């Protein structure tokens, strides 16, 4: 059974940090790109950051460049999203997703994905 399990969300003040984790099981991790997406109330889902676990290529949305860092620990089948200098506009439900045999850049552009996690809430207070 394929599973993506997110953790690490929570409530933080503006300027603070959180680290999200996405742990995968049930598929060959190295063959996939893993991405973080978020959806705030009343807004469309957007790509935040993606990583190709095979070659390490990454994608970042302009809104998070310089503040968020995505990394992959293939031995643990886990992708992390380190979020620093958080802003109230980062408040959203964050989901991780997985796509087979694609690049991080391509993953950020396509609307559907092979697998999704259940999401974790991130709330940044002002």
């Amino acid at each position: 059974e394929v599973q993506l399990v997110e953790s690490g969300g929570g409530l933080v003040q503006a300027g603070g940090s959180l680290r999200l984790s996405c742990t995968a099981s049930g598929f060959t991790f190295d063959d996939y790109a893993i991405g973080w997406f978020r959806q705030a109330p009343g807004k469309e889902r957007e790509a935040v950051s993606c990583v190709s676990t095979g070659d390490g290529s990454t994608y970042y949305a302009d809104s998070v460049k310089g503040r968020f860092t995505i990394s992959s620990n293939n031995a643990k089948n886990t992708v992390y999203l380190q979020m620093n200098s958080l802003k109230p506009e980062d408040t959203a439900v964050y989901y991780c997703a997985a796509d087979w045999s694609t690049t991080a850049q391509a993953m950020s552009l396509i609307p559907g994905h092979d697998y999704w996690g259940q999401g974790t809430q991130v709330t940044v207070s002002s």
Side-chain angles (χ1 to χ4, degrees):
E1 179 187 7
V2 172
Q3 279 193 315
L4 294 174
V5 179
E6 302 104 330
S7 62
L11 173 64
V12 65
Q13 289 188 331
S17 298
L18 285 173
R19 188 178 79 157
L20 305 183
S21 299
C22 173
T23 300
S25 61
F27 60 86
T28 305
F29 192 73
D30 295 1
D31 292 340
Y32 281 74
I34 308 292
W36 287 97
F37 299 79
R38 67 186 180 187
Q39 188 164 22
K43 294 188 177 181
E44 291 189 356
R45 186 175 63 209
E46 62 174 345
V48 176
S49 183
C50 306
V51 61
S52 174
T53 59
D55 65 11
S57 62
T58 58
Y59 161 84
Y60 293 96
D62 288 343
S63 59
V64 306
K65 281 181 182 176
R67 301 188 298 124
F68 291 11
T69 303
I70 194 168
S71 61
S72 173
N73 185 330
N74 289 15
K76 294 185 176 182
N77 282 11
T78 299
V79 168
Y80 304 97
L81 185 68
Q82 178 67 43
M83 306 187 294
N84 299 329
S85 303
L86 282 161
K87 305 175 181 180
E89 51 264 44
D90 294 318
T91 295
V93 178
Y94 284 69
Y95 300 89
C96 72
D99 283 338
W100 180 76
S101 190
T102 189
T103 66
Q105 183 71 31
M107 187 180 191
S108 72
L109 299 174
I110 57 178
H113 302 286
D114 295 340
Y115 306 113
W116 285 97
Q118 82 285 354
T120 186
Q121 177 71 45
V122 171
T123 303
V124 184
S125 63
S126 57

